Amino acid sequence: MTNQIRMGCWMGIVLLVGLLPSMTWAADGFTQSDRERMAALESSFSMFVQQVDKRFEQIDKRFEQIDKRFELVDKRFELVDKRFELVDKRFEEMGKRIEDLRSDTNARFDQMMSLFYMLAGMFTSLFVAVFAFAWWDRRSVISTAKRAAQEEVKDRTQGLDDTTLTVNRMLEALKSLSEQLPELKDILRRVHLL
């Protein structure tokens, strides 16, 4: 379109340059031929102006069309911006959901840790209680068995004390007799009583 405008401007300039040398100026003013030429020049110039005006109107129309297209592009950009805003809102919602899930997971993990501590405390208490009961039971059983054994030994050894005293006296008598009897001395040495 701009090439056509340039072409029209050049044509107008060529017409002016071409008509100027052919114009002759009279000393007293314009001649009839000058007036005719001037009228022809005015008519061609008015046609040129009309063509230039038409072309400018066409350019204006095209610029209006371009403006409309830019407005459409602007509207599309606005739609794209709105879509981006929607996407941003969705991302914010997703972020909130993820944060909620994270807090729920942390709460559940805390609950599990509390349960684990409770179970560990219960098992520790149970182990201590069982160990303490076994230790107490063993001590009580051992002390009871010890007393029973001591009483049993006492009961059985009461008669032995008298017997032991008698046996010791008999050994003393045999030792003193063995000094007089060499055969008895040999016998006592064989059984390791001397």
Side-chain angles (χ1 to χ4, degrees), residues 153-166:
V153 167
K154 229 184 217 181
D155 287 344
R156 288 190 180 182
T157 56
Q158 260 181 356
L160 283 178
D161 285 339
D162 296 336
T163 309
T164 306
L165 187 58
T166 308

Side-chain angles (χ1 to χ4, degrees), residues 107-144:
R108 288 181 184 171
F109 185 73
D110 290 341
Q111 288 174 350
M112 286 176 52
M113 288 304 291
S114 299
L115 180 65
F116 173 73
Y117 288 138
M118 287 185 347
L119 288 175
M122 287 173 42
F123 282 122
T124 303
S125 302
L126 185 64
F127 176 75
V128 168
V130 167
F131 182 75
F133 176 74
W135 184 69
W136 172 80
D137 186 48
R138 182 166 181 204
R139 288 203 61 154
S140 64
V141 166
I142 288 174
S143 65
T144 306

Side-chain angles (χ1 to χ4, degrees), residues 87-104:
V87 168
D88 286 342
K89 287 180 183 178
R90 287 181 183 168
F91 274 126
E92 288 175 7
E93 290 174 2
M94 289 295 285
K96 287 178 184 177
R97 287 180 187 170
I98 289 171
E99 189 62 36
D100 290 343
L101 285 174
R102 184 179 295 150
S103 63
D104 288 345

Side-chain angles (χ1 to χ4, degrees), residues 10-23 41:
W10 282 108
M11 286 175 51
I13 292 171
V14 168
L15 269 173
L16 282 175
V17 171
L19 292 176
L20 280 178
S22 62
M23 289 184 172
L41 186 61

Side-chain angles (χ1 to χ4, degrees), residues 17-36:
V17 171
L19 292 176
L20 280 178
S22 62
M23 289 184 172
T24 56
W25 295 96
D28 61 343
F30 286 111
T31 62
Q32 183 63 27
S33 65
D34 289 337
R35 285 186 186 160
E36 288 173 2

